[in-house]
């Protein structure tokens, strides 16, 4: 922690680094969170409070310029961790905590660990501690809109007050220096997020349970989320993916995302997928991407020979969805896993979607050219009515509204049925060709019905994805287990959102629950703010956009206000939290298009989170997904295909 989180970020004061090495952080967190004690994140400590991120504590101590012999006041002692660290540097530390229970526990902990120059008391931090003033440094561990004069006046001349100042979303960590008896100057240090500083003392009333500290009815919803969630370490920590072991007994685990352009969601799904494949027998990775493009990735991870003239997959808009800086790592990891397995036990990578009609037609014809040239001639005739529109199938959809295209649909469906029958009798590549034939049939209908509007085109698409998943499970046999990557709008049960309740739409999550029941786990992903890769219009240029902070009337704001940076929340339980979350709230959905200026109407919809998902994975601040450069060379380079990096 000291080397990676503090020294590596520029904290170079030997006294501070030494103090952090001395104080055992695991002693200051709840017993069930000790394994996360040294993560780069705040952790809940009860009463809706958190122990701050280690780096932020170090920043505050560094900014306060605490030295040997100094007298220090901390407002918001919490668990007592920061006070303990400061006591290893300063001469005397006084810490005030408004929650009597936390103050009592912190004082007991400080005494047991032997920090004799540190005193923790229950009190109102807004008033400071006038009986012990003046102080060389005052540190406030909670956000505040207006700095109390009482704290400024309790500084010595030359003393420093370090305090987060600002509103609910982001505050500025501010340093206020007393330069004269009636003079102060200030400067901002860095943006931060803290829980609010509140007035008054919270007494111990004897009504708090040992697990929740208070009756659930007396806790706010964000406090209940903090008390019930499982805090998560960094994504690259093995314990991150291990937290999802609770879903390892499912046959299908669906991993969502609330945007198509967020690095953290892709990196998290990659870590979880690798863990489930490597440790729990999952052998299907199915994504919201097209079958023919995903087939190239599937060949790569299975170590199969690739055509020298193979086109780079996933070239159409939005290319960053499946050609990004996360994908090479997970594909190489799956390839390494497959290298040690028999062919029947290998994990496969498959596309569920229906957009790439042209490549699917090419794949069907290529298969028939090799295995049944006579049938290939017939197939070319049947697909003839689609040929002019392969490059722009949406144009076909518009033209097909005119008379005379029913025969084309009949021919396409007939070809699909023949390929499906062929796949039942011959599994040497016929299965993939049949899936491509299904895609052509579904896409032909999709591009027609989309011009009528309404729910039919959406329902057709998600029905196709659900059916493709069913075919994959059937093809891989009774031991097949699938991880699915798709947007929250596809995997969250549509019946729990406006999609189903108002617009009459269903999705793959709903259809999977209806078909496989308790063998399915639906896990949504969400964020409060940060950046995202998106475009302003379909087929537009990708931009790195700033995500608006979540709305106050949204599920995202409830999660943000919990104060926990990353967590996994089980939504299958009963109790006060479940009851409150069942009340419909706004939920944000960002696809490949993001329009911040119209966000309320274009990106929020009502939902009932516990009915929509089985669990919810939260990242408070996220960053944009980075695309790979265009045209990476890969022809003939099996070790680097399909990315050339």
């Amino acid at each position: 922690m000291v080397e990676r989180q503090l020294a590596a970020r520029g904290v170079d004061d030997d006294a501070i680094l030494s103090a952090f090495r001395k104080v055992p952080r695991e002693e200051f967190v709840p017993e069930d969170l000790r394994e996360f004690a040294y993560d780069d994140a705040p952790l809940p400590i009860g009463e809706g409070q958190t122990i701050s991120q280690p780096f932020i504590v170090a920043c505050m101590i560094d900014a306060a310029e605490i030295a040997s012999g100094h007298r220090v006041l901390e407002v918001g002692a919490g668990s007592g961790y920061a006070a303990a660290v400061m006591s290893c540097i300063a001469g005397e530390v006084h810490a005030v905590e408004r929650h009597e229970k936390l103050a009592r526990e912190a004082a007991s902990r400080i005494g047991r660990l032997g920090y004799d120059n540190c005193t923790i008391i229950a009190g109102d931090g807004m008033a400071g501690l006038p009986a012990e003033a003046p102080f060389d440094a005052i540190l406030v561990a909670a956000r505040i809109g207006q700095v109390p004069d009482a704290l400024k006046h309790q500084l010595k001349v030359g003393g420093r007050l370090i305090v987060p100042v600002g509103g609910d979303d982001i505050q500025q960590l501010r340093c206020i220096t007393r330069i004269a008896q009636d003079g102060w100057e200030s400067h901002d240090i860095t943006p931060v997020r803290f829980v609010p500083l509140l007035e008054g003392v919270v007494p111990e009333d004897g009504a708090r349970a040992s697990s929740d500290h208070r009756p659930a009815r007396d806790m706010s919803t964000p406090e209940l989320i903090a008390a019930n969630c499982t805090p998560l370490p960094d994504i690259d920590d093995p314990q991150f993916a291990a937290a999802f072991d609770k879903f390892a007994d499912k046959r299908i685990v669906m991993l969502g995302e609330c945007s198509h352009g967020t690095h953290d969601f892709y990196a998290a799904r990659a870590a979880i997928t690798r863990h489930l494949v490597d440790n729990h027998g999952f052998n299907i990775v199915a994504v919201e991407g097209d079958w023919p493009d995903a087939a190239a990735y599937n060949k790569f991870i299975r170590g199969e020979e690739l055509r020298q003239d193979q086109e780079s997959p996933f070239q159409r808009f939005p290319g960053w969805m499946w050609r990004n800086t996360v994908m090479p790592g997970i594909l190489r990891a799956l390839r390494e896993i497959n290298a040690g397995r028999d062919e029947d036990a290998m994990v496969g990578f498959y596309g569920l979607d229906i957009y790439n009609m042209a490549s699917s037609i090419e794949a069907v014809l290529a298969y028939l050219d090799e295995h049944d040239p006579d049938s290939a001639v017939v197939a070319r005739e049947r697909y003839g009515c689609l040929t002019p529109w392969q490059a722009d199938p949406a144009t076909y959809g518009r033209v097909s509204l005119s008379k005379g295209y029913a025969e084309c649909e009949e021919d396409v469906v007939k070809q699909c049925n023949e390929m499906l029958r062929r796949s039942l009798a011959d599994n040497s590549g016929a299965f993939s060709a049949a899936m491509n034939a299904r895609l052509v049939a579904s896409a032909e209908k999709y591009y027609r019905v989309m011009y009528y509007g309404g729910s039919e085109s959406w329902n057709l698409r998600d029905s196709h994805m659900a059916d493709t998943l069913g075919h994959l499970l059937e093809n891989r046999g009774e031991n097949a287990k699938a991880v699915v990557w798709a947007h929250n709008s596809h995997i969250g049960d549509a019946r729990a959102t406006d999609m189903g309740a108002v617009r009459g739409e269903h999705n793959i999550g709903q259809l999977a629950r209806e078909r496989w029941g308790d063998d399915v786990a639906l896990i949504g992903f969400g964020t409060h703010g940060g950046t995202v890769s998106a475009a302003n219009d379909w087929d537009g240029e990708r931009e790195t956009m700033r995500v608006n902070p979540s709305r106050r009337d949204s599920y995202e704001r409830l999660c943000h206000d919990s104060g926990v940076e990353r967590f996994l929340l089980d939504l299958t339980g009963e109790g006060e939290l479940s009851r409150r979350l069942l009340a419909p709230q706004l939920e944000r959905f960002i696809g490949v298009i993001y329009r911040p200026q119209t966000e309320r109407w274009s990106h929020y919809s009502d939902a009932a989170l516990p009915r929509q998902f089985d669990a919810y994975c939260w990242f408070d601040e996220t960053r944009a997904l980075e695309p790979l450069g265009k045209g990476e060379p890969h022809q003939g380079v099996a070790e680097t295909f399909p990315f050339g990096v």
Side-chain angles (χ1 to χ4, degrees), residues 399-587:
V399 175
S400 69
L401 297 182
S402 61
K403 186 178 179 181
Y405 279 83
E407 292 181 2
C408 185
E409 177 187 8
E410 292 174 3
D411 286 342
V412 168
V413 172
K414 186 181 295 183
Q415 185 64 48
C416 171
N417 289 335
E418 288 188 10
M419 293 304 302
L420 289 171
R421 285 195 296 271
R422 182 187 294 267
S423 73
L424 294 175
D426 174 17
N427 201 34
S428 60
F431 176 75
S432 185
M435 293 301 100
N436 279 303
R438 283 184 59 254
L439 186 151
V440 175
S442 292
E444 188 277 336
K445 187 175 181 181
Y446 175 83
Y447 286 114
R448 279 189 298 109
V449 301
M450 65 182 286
Y451 282 92
Y452 290 106
S455 62
E456 189 176 356
S457 60
W458 175 279
N459 289 346
L460 171 66
R461 183 181 170 205
D462 274 61
S463 293
H464 175 90
M465 290 199 284
D467 289 343
T468 302
L469 178 61
H471 285 302
L472 284 168
L473 291 166
E474 183 179 9
N475 179 257
R476 294 303 299 266
E478 61 181 13
N479 294 322
K481 299 177 72 174
V483 181
V484 176
W485 295 18
H487 195 274
N488 283 352
S489 58
H490 290 293
I491 72 144
D493 194 322
R495 294 169 294 186
T497 70
D498 280 350
M499 293 170 56
V502 178
R503 301 197 297 271
E505 296 171 343
H506 61 233
N507 60 15
I508 187 173
Q510 172 187 336
L511 297 173
R513 275 182 170 174
E514 291 173 347
R515 181 167 178 179
W516 292 288
D518 291 339
D519 273 344
V520 178
L522 310 180
I523 306 173
F525 284 66
T527 185
H528 167 70
T531 57
V532 65
S533 281
N536 282 307
D537 292 293
W538 188 263
D539 221 15
E541 290 294 320
R542 183 201 74 89
E543 300 177 33
T544 297
M545 301 183 183
R546 172 63 57 178
V547 177
N548 290 335
S550 59
R551 289 178 55 89
R552 295 180 183 276
D553 51 354
S554 68
Y555 281 115
E556 287 84 359
R557 181 55 65 92
L558 294 175
C559 293
H560 169 68
D561 287 347
S562 73
V564 186
E565 183 179 4
R566 282 182 302 275
F567 64 71
L568 179 63
L569 183 64
D570 188 341
L571 296 172
T572 61
E574 299 180 357
E576 180 66 15
L577 177 60
S578 179
R579 184 188 67 79
R580 293 193 201 177
L581 293 180
L582 277 171
Q585 298 259 8
L586 289 179
E587 181 183 331

Side-chain angles (χ1 to χ4, degrees), residues 232-245 253 255-256 262-280 282 285 324-334 337 349 483 485 523 525 566 617 619:
L232 295 172
D234 289 337
I235 293 172
D236 57 2
D237 187 316
Q239 291 304 311
F240 176 89
F244 293 79
D245 281 345
V253 174
L255 304 175
T262 299
H263 172 89
D264 307 73
F265 300 153
Y266 278 77
R269 295 188 300 189
I272 297 163
T273 298
R274 180 174 183 174
H275 180 78
L276 293 176
V277 168
D278 208 14
N279 297 282
H280 298 292
F282 284 77
V285 180
N324 56 63
T325 56
V326 175
M327 293 308 297
I330 180 59
L331 292 180
R332 291 194 181 105
L334 296 178
I337 292 171
F349 188 96
V483 181
W485 295 18
I523 306 173
F525 284 66
R566 282 182 302 275
C617 186
F619 296 85

Side-chain angles (χ1 to χ4, degrees), residues 86 155 191 198 208 295 302 325 345 384 395 398 461 489 499 628:
M86 290 186 287
L155 284 173
L198 303 174
R208 300 170 189 170
R302 294 175 68 89
T325 56
T395 302
R398 184 169 63 252
R461 183 181 170 205
S489 58
M499 293 170 56
L628 292 170

Side-chain angles (χ1 to χ4, degrees), residues 299-353:
K299 286 186 176 182
F300 174 75
I301 69 171
R302 294 175 68 89
E304 295 180 7
E305 290 294 324
L306 306 164
R307 296 202 324 261
Q308 293 297 307
D309 62 345
Q310 180 84 45
E311 289 293 326
S312 294
F314 296 111
Q315 290 291 339
R316 68 171 182 82
F317 178 86
W320 67 86
M321 269 187 67
W322 302 114
R323 293 182 63 83
N324 56 63
T325 56
V326 175
M327 293 308 297
I330 180 59
L331 292 180
R332 291 194 181 105
L334 296 178
R335 182 183 174 102
E336 290 173 3
I337 292 171
N338 277 342
R341 294 185 175 183
D342 294 334
E343 183 175 353
D344 291 344
M346 286 184 177
V347 60
F349 188 96
Y350 309 99
L352 300 175
D353 222 334

Side-chain angles (χ1 to χ4, degrees), residues 91-107:
E92 189 177 337
V93 176
H94 296 268
V96 181
E97 171 54 51
R98 70 185 294 265
H99 292 274
E100 286 188 351
K101 185 175 190 301
L102 292 182
R104 176 179 58 78
E105 291 175 345

